[in-house]
Amino acid sequence: METIKQAKVEYCLYARKSTEDDELQAMSIDSQIKEMTDLAIRDNLYIKEVRTEKHSAKASGNRPVFAGLLEDIRSGMFNGILTWAPDRLSRNAGDLGMLVDMMDQEKLHQIRTFSQSFSNNPNEKFLLMILCSQAKLENDNRGINVKRGMRARCGMGWRPTAPPVGYLSQPDKSNPQLIITDPERAFVIKQMFERVGNQGQSGRTVKHWLDRIQFTTKNNKG
């Protein structure tokens, strides 16, 4: 009786974390790599390469590392993906469709997450699509809720978003939407406008000046 040899799965460990607010609570990239490496050792899985990315997965085609991973799967460099959870791979219909298509073409043999495994059979592909579609639904609903909240704040005469650089939100009991000038940055913002309006300095010149004085926002961004 002839024995059919099963192709060895060569995994790429893909870890992703977005810096957007909706993913601030997601596990860090280092933690994802550690957990999935431990799983690979436990289950004797072969990790051929580790790739990481700091991009949102809300929209298709915005992640260069993920796009490169798909190309390498098409070329045969990998035939498996190891990742923390399905939403690390896709939170949109376009990327999900490409993953399922590569399973149908037998180029992608398996996707392993911390708690589940997905291969080229109808039930597992259906479950993968449900989980990734659920992540997309959460994104869509979150966007609707944010816009609704912003409209409500505008209707009450409140600023709908965080105050601009040079101001701080400092609510108190008498005024929950109190905004004050930032004592550390307001004078710099004033000087910036004076340099442009009174001295005719260009945006590039002002940027060089801000860099020279090491000016940063309250989130320590230059």
Side-chain angles (χ1 to χ4, degrees):
M1 182 176 180
E2 185 178 354
T3 302
I4 299 176
K5 292 185 179 179
Q6 188 174 5
K8 180 181 179 181
V9 180
E10 297 183 327
Y11 291 95
C12 176
L13 197 168
Y14 176 79
R16 180 188 70 82
K17 180 176 171 62
S18 173
T19 56
E20 295 187 26
D21 290 342
D22 63 324
E23 287 196 14
L24 290 180
Q25 301 303 317
M27 182 179 286
S28 70
I29 287 178
D30 289 342
S31 297
Q32 292 176 46
I33 292 174
K34 180 183 184 305
E35 292 287 347
M36 299 313 295
T37 300
D38 289 346
L39 183 144
I41 295 172
R42 184 195 71 193
D43 293 351
N44 195 28
L45 307 178
Y46 172 52
I47 298 176
K48 192 171 184 178
E49 191 173 322
V50 176
R51 298 186 183 182
T52 65
E53 189 156 45
K54 292 184 179 180
H55 275 282
S56 172
K58 289 182 179 179
S60 178
N62 288 339
R63 292 178 289 160
V65 175
F66 182 76
L69 171 59
L70 296 183
E71 285 299 319
D72 289 337
I73 291 173
R74 292 188 185 100
S75 68
M77 182 176 178
F78 309 109
N79 57 9
I81 300 175
L82 198 61
T83 194
W84 170 251
D87 66 357
R88 298 302 86 201
L89 297 177
S90 172
R91 304 180 84 178
N92 67 80
D95 291 340
L96 173 60
M98 287 188 283
L99 290 169
V100 174
D101 282 346
M102 285 193 289
M103 282 184 162
D104 291 339
Q105 298 165 14
E106 298 186 349
K107 293 183 178 295
L108 179 57
H109 292 182
Q110 193 170 64
I111 295 174
R112 285 288 301 268
T113 69
F114 184 77
S115 58
Q116 293 163 307
S117 176
F118 307 96
S119 57
N120 187 24
N121 74 63
N123 290 335
E124 293 180 11
K125 286 188 292 186
F126 181 61
L127 179 58
L128 175 65
M129 289 188 287
I130 288 176
L131 294 174
C132 291
S133 297
Q134 182 180 11
K136 174 173 170 51
L137 177 63
E138 291 173 356
N139 279 336
D140 293 345
N141 285 336
R142 187 177 293 111
I144 292 172
N145 292 335
V146 168
K147 291 178 182 178
R148 183 187 299 119
M150 292 174 67
R151 289 196 300 270
R153 292 171 68 89
C154 287
M156 291 186 288
W158 296 352
R159 182 177 178 84
T161 59
V165 179
Y167 296 87
L168 294 175
S169 177
Q170 190 170 334
D172 57 28
K173 292 182 180 180
S174 62
N175 186 356
Q177 295 299 317
L178 179 63
I179 294 176
I180 64 172
T181 55
D182 184 343
E184 295 182 8
R185 298 175 179 83
F187 76 97
V188 177
I189 301 300
K190 180 181 178 182
Q191 288 184 53
M192 183 178 70
F193 280 98
E194 289 175 345
R195 284 171 175 267
V196 174
N198 298 337
Q199 302 175 30
Q201 293 187 3
S202 66
R204 178 175 296 179
T205 301
V206 172
K207 178 63 168 62
H208 289 329
W209 169 67
L210 292 173
D211 290 341
R212 189 168 63 252
I213 65 175
Q214 298 182 335
F215 178 78
T216 60
T217 68
K218 63 180 180 179
N219 295 322
N220 294 321
K221 293 182 179 179

